Amino acid sequence: MTIHIGAQKGEIAETVLMPGDPYRAKWAAETFLQDAKLVNDVRGMLGFTGTWKGNPVTIQGSGMGMPSLSIYANELIRDYGTKTLIRIGSCGGMQENVKIRDVILAMTATTLSTPSRGILKELNFAPCADWGLLQAAAQAAAAKGTPTHVGGIYSSDVFYDERPDLNEQMMRHGILGVEMEAAELYILAARHNCRALAVLTVSDHLLTGEALPSSERESSFGEMVEIALQAAFPNVE
Ligand code: HPA
């Protein structure tokens, strides 16, 4: 047990999928894993462990924002030996060719700051995805026929952003979408010699103001879970 995760040692898999929403963790575990068992409910941040095609997998909520994700990712890596962490979440689209429901595989994540700012100080570290996971996810998405974009995203600290000029600069520099967690996940993975990737569905659009209807959120989310699982275990039939 750790401060924020109630699982016993051995109850968390080496591969962890991390949705922001703990109820999405429950839905994904019940829908895609065999023998899914609740392993964490501290603070309602649900985590489940089961198997996918015989491979142990944990699906653990991260909460919203980098400080929350950092707590769970740190404890998973340091205390439970997790090696592969895949964020499955939503993002706001930032380019015209990026449409609602499309999937974005985040190759890099630009930020103003992350919880690691304290140790990186003046360094502008470049958080990037694990190449093997990224390549496998791109192949899985292509095989499914899911419209998918691979490129840079923006990990912001604010959902209600009062600095439109920052979003404008991001768009001008080709950033595909905005979310709030991936950059710190990538930095922690780099620090601890782990693999990380963020697989994101475009749930709303900053240019058009469109939003994914709630009735469609589940099916889009499901596609992302399958891409993440196939990326983690690319050689499994
Ligand atoms: N901004 C930040 N995070 C998000 C957004 C957004 O528009 N959509 C989904 N996550």
Side-chain angles (χ1 to χ4, degrees), residues 169-221:
Q169 288 301 341
M170 291 293 104
M171 292 174 193
R172 195 175 155 222
H173 288 82
I175 291 297
L176 300 172
V178 53
E179 53 89 74
M180 300 180 67
E181 291 83 14
E184 183 65 1
L185 178 66
Y186 288 2
I187 293 172
L188 288 172
R191 190 178 309 149
H192 296 285
N193 195 25
C194 292
R195 308 191 306 158
L197 175 68
V199 181
L200 307 166
T201 295
V202 180
S203 62
D204 53 88
H205 210 291
L206 274 67
L207 293 171
T208 64
E210 280 173 282
L212 191 63
S214 52
S215 57
E216 286 185 41
R217 279 176 192 257
E218 209 153 82
S219 59
S220 290
F221 184 74

Side-chain angles (χ1 to χ4, degrees), residues 87 89-94 154-161 167 177-181 200-206 217:
R87 164 163 160 68
S90 60
C91 70
M94 291 185 126
Y154 175 33
S155 293
S156 171
D157 277 337
V158 281
F159 188 89
Y160 298 104
D161 200 345
N167 288 337
V178 53
E179 53 89 74
M180 300 180 67
E181 291 83 14
L200 307 166
T201 295
V202 180
S203 62
D204 53 88
H205 210 291
L206 274 67
R217 279 176 192 257

Side-chain angles (χ1 to χ4, degrees), residues 4-8 11-13 15-30 33 35-50 57-63 72 76 80:
H4 304 95
I5 302 178
Q8 300 301 316
E11 285 187 323
I12 302 268
T15 299
V16 180
L17 270 49
M18 303 187 79
D21 177 353
Y23 287 106
R24 291 278 185 211
K26 182 173 192 299
W27 180 85
E30 287 170 353
L33 301 188
D35 304 320
K37 176 181 157 211
L38 179 74
V39 292
N40 183 46
D41 62 0
V42 177
R43 291 178 183 242
M45 196 55 78
L46 307 177
F48 297 81
T49 298
V57 175
T58 296
I59 307 184
Q60 168 65 53
S62 71
Y72 295 101
L76 288 167
Y80 293 98

Side-chain angles (χ1 to χ4, degrees), residues 29-98:
E30 287 170 353
T31 307
F32 293 100
L33 301 188
Q34 285 81 54
D35 304 320
K37 176 181 157 211
L38 179 74
V39 292
N40 183 46
D41 62 0
V42 177
R43 291 178 183 242
M45 196 55 78
L46 307 177
F48 297 81
T49 298
T51 61
W52 184 73
K53 301 192 176 181
N55 299 286
V57 175
T58 296
I59 307 184
Q60 168 65 53
S62 71
M64 290 178 281
M66 290 187 265
S68 179
L69 175 131
S70 161
I71 288 173
Y72 295 101
N74 263 293
E75 293 181 11
L76 288 167
I77 293 168
R78 292 165 185 238
D79 298 292
Y80 293 98
T82 294
K83 294 283 178 211
T84 297
L85 302 97
I86 305 181
R87 164 163 160 68
I88 43 177
S90 60
C91 70
M94 291 185 126
Q95 300 292 329
E96 268 174 28
N97 66 324
V98 172

